C-alpha cells in the first residue's frame, strides 16, 4: 500500500465507502422487488380465484332460484288452465243436463227434436299445428284457422 499514490488510495476508499454499499443496496432493493412481485401475484391470484368462486356460486344460486320460480309459475299456469278447462267441461255437461230435463218435460215429436237439434248446433274450430318461432319468441300457426261443420251421421239401428 505504500507504493500507491494518494489519488489511487482515495479512489479505492471511495469505491469501498460509496460504490460497494450502493451495489449492496441495489441488490437488496432488487430482491425486495422480486419478493413484492411474487407476493402481489399470489395475492392477486388468490383474490381472483375467490372472486370467481363467489361469482360462480351466486350465478348457480340465481339459476337455481330462477328454475324453481319458473317451475312454480308453470305449475300455477297449468293448474289455472286445467281448472278453467274443467269448469268449461262442467258447464257444458250442466247445459246438457238442462237440455235433457227440458226435453223430458215437453211432449216430443220429430219436428221439435229437429228444431231443438238445429238450435244446439255450433261450428267447431279446428286449429292447425303450431310451432315455436325462436326468432320472435312466439307461437305461430302453420295455417289459418279452418271452421269445419260436423257431418251428420245416422245410426244404423232400427230403434233410432
Amino acid at each position: 500500500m505504500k507504493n500507491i499514490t494518494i489519488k489511487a488510495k482515495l479512489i479505492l476508499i471511495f469505491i469501498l465507502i460509496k460504490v460497494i454499499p450502493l451495489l449492496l443496496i441495489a441488490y437488496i432493493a432488487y430482491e425486495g422487488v422480486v419478493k413484492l412481485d411474487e407476493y402481489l401475484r399470489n395475492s392477486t391470484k388468490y383474490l381472483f380465484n375467490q372472486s370467481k368462486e363467489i361469482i360462480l356460486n351466486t350465478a348457480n344460486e340465481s339459476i337455481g332460484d330462477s328454475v324453481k320460480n319458473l317451475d312454480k309459475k308453470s305449475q300455477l299456469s297449468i293448474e289455472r288452465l286445467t281448472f278453467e278447462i274443467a269448469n268449461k267441461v262442467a258447464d257444458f255437461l250442466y247445459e246438457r243436463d238442462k237440455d235433457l230435463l227440458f226435453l223430458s218435460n215437453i211432449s216430443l215429436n220429430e219436428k221439435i227434436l229437429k228444431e231443438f237439434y238445429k238450435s244446439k248446433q255450433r261450428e267447431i274450430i279446428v286449429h292447425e299445428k303450431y310451432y315455436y318461432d325462436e326468432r320472435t319468441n312466439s307461437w305461430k300457426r302453420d295455417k289459418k284457422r279452418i271452421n269445419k261443420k260436423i257431418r251428420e251421421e245416422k245410426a244404423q239401428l232400427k230403434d233410432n
Side-chain angles (χ1 to χ4, degrees), residues 9-21:
K9 287 180 183 178
L10 285 174
I11 291 173
L12 189 60
I13 290 173
F14 176 76
I15 290 174
L16 286 174
I17 294 175
K18 295 287 183 176
V19 175
I20 291 177

Side-chain angles (χ1 to χ4, degrees), residues 2 30 36 50 63 85 109 118 137 154-155 158-159:
K2 289 186 177 183
Y30 174 75
L36 181 63
Q50 194 175 20
I63 290 170
I85 291 171
N109 62 30
K118 285 181 183 177
N137 292 330
K154 293 190 178 186
K158 291 179 185 177
D159 292 339

Side-chain angles (χ1 to χ4, degrees), residues 110-137:
E110 187 176 339
K111 181 181 175 188
I112 291 174
L113 286 176
K114 281 185 180 181
E115 289 298 319
F116 183 78
Y117 174 73
K118 285 181 183 177
S119 71
K120 295 297 180 177
Q121 269 187 327
R122 295 187 206 160
E123 289 185 353
I124 295 176
I125 299 172
V126 179
H127 295 282
E128 298 299 323
K129 292 187 177 181
Y130 285 87
Y131 65 94
Y132 187 74
D133 188 4
E134 295 284 341
R135 195 174 38 125
T136 60
N137 292 330

Side-chain angles (χ1 to χ4, degrees), residues 12-45:
L12 189 60
I13 290 173
F14 176 76
I15 290 174
L16 286 174
I17 294 175
K18 295 287 183 176
V19 175
I20 291 177
L22 185 62
L23 290 175
L24 186 62
I25 290 172
Y27 175 74
I28 292 171
Y30 174 75
E31 285 295 319
V33 167
V34 168
K35 291 201 188 243
L36 181 63
D37 179 54
E38 184 181 328
Y39 171 76
L40 289 176
R41 283 180 196 234
N42 290 338
S43 296
T44 305
K45 191 181 289 186

Side-chain angles (χ1 to χ4, degrees), residues 59-79:
N60 289 336
E61 285 184 28
S62 297
I63 290 170
D65 289 347
S66 296
V67 167
K68 198 181 299 180
N69 287 333
L70 287 173
D71 285 347
K72 186 67 175 174
K73 188 174 181 181
S74 298
Q75 178 187 355
L76 292 174
S77 177
I78 290 171
E79 286 175 0

Side-chain angles (χ1 to χ4, degrees), residues 54-106:
I54 289 170
I55 290 170
L56 287 174
N57 288 341
T58 304
N60 289 336
E61 285 184 28
S62 297
I63 290 170
D65 289 347
S66 296
V67 167
K68 198 181 299 180
N69 287 333
L70 287 173
D71 285 347
K72 186 67 175 174
K73 188 174 181 181
S74 298
Q75 178 187 355
L76 292 174
S77 177
I78 290 171
E79 286 175 0
R80 182 188 53 81
L81 186 62
T82 54
F83 179 75
E84 288 176 6
I85 291 171
N87 280 339
K88 287 181 181 181
V89 168
D91 289 344
F92 174 80
L93 293 174
Y94 285 132
E95 285 179 24
R96 299 304 67 84
D97 283 345
K98 288 177 187 175
D99 291 343
L100 290 174
L101 289 173
F102 171 73
L103 289 173
S104 68
N105 289 329
I106 61 172

